[in-house]
Amino acid sequence: ISNIPKGKIQTYKELAKIIGKPKAARAIANASGKNPYPKKIPCHRVIRSDSSIGGYSGKGGINSKISLLKKEAINIVLVSDAGTPTISDPGYFLVQECIKNNIKFSLIPGPSSVLNALVLSGLPTSSFSFLGFIPKKLNQKKVFFSELKYEKHTIVVFESAKRVKNTLELLESEYSANKKIAVCREMTKIYENIERGTISEILSKVNNKEITLKGEFVLVIEPFSYTKFNFAIDKKIKKEFLEKMPAKDAAKLISLLTNDNKRDIYKQLID
């Protein structure tokens, strides 16, 4: 498993014919020129990690790859268009089949967008949770974030460029606008860019088109809560707030002051 193929793959044109995508082949061929390993691994074939090898669209070509590996004494290198195969990627299913069939495999490590974003975010790195891609549908996305309400670890997620703005708006409305976040674009690539700040600050930059919403995004979010919500609102304070503004606005204001969860505050105000 590698994002840098080794062995007989020498030129971009040769690699392009095998994996079928010239741009991906060029990037991989260029990367292979910076081989940190003194001994090359013999490579007889390169396959691309995509839906054709199973998972997202059924088992597809997995069985043929396994049969090939069992019948012939060859080495196959699994690559992806970007990133490490099997991480939020169908290559995982091929790994599972290799384990079931006692086929040996190993990993040649390369650049990691997850670790790159985590380190550059400036957020706590002692422990973190990588959760892959955020769900696309709004209701599923709300459930996804509600389940992280008491997450004590720094959160790392992938998000599509076209949904970054919507996700930030949801985070701002569901939680504190002061929550720290890092929006990391094109990690380990030439146009790498990191924006750090609160959710409201980053949203302002997005709305002012100061952040280019193109390419691949990794979001790094500070822990949602170090302790469960235990903020009690005095009855007199509650009365004063509700006489002057709706419960929703009062919850937002108190959340900004205390950095506690807006939903929990709102529930206390309406009880």
Side-chain angles (χ1 to χ4, degrees), residues 48-61:
R48 189 176 68 208
S49 185
D50 59 18
S51 59
S52 68
I53 65 169
Y56 301 146
S57 59
K59 287 204 170 182

Side-chain angles (χ1 to χ4, degrees), residues 4 6 34-40 107-110:
I4 306 175
K6 313 293 181 190
K34 300 178 181 179
N35 179 14
Y37 301 92
K39 184 179 179 181
K40 289 189 176 182
L107 172 69
I108 299 173

Side-chain angles (χ1 to χ4, degrees), residues 89-109:
D89 172 271
Y92 161 78
F93 299 98
L94 185 58
V95 165
Q96 290 294 300
E97 290 301 315
C98 284
I99 293 170
K100 289 178 184 177
N101 289 274
N102 295 315
I103 295 171
K104 291 183 179 180
F105 63 94
S106 188
L107 172 69
I108 299 173

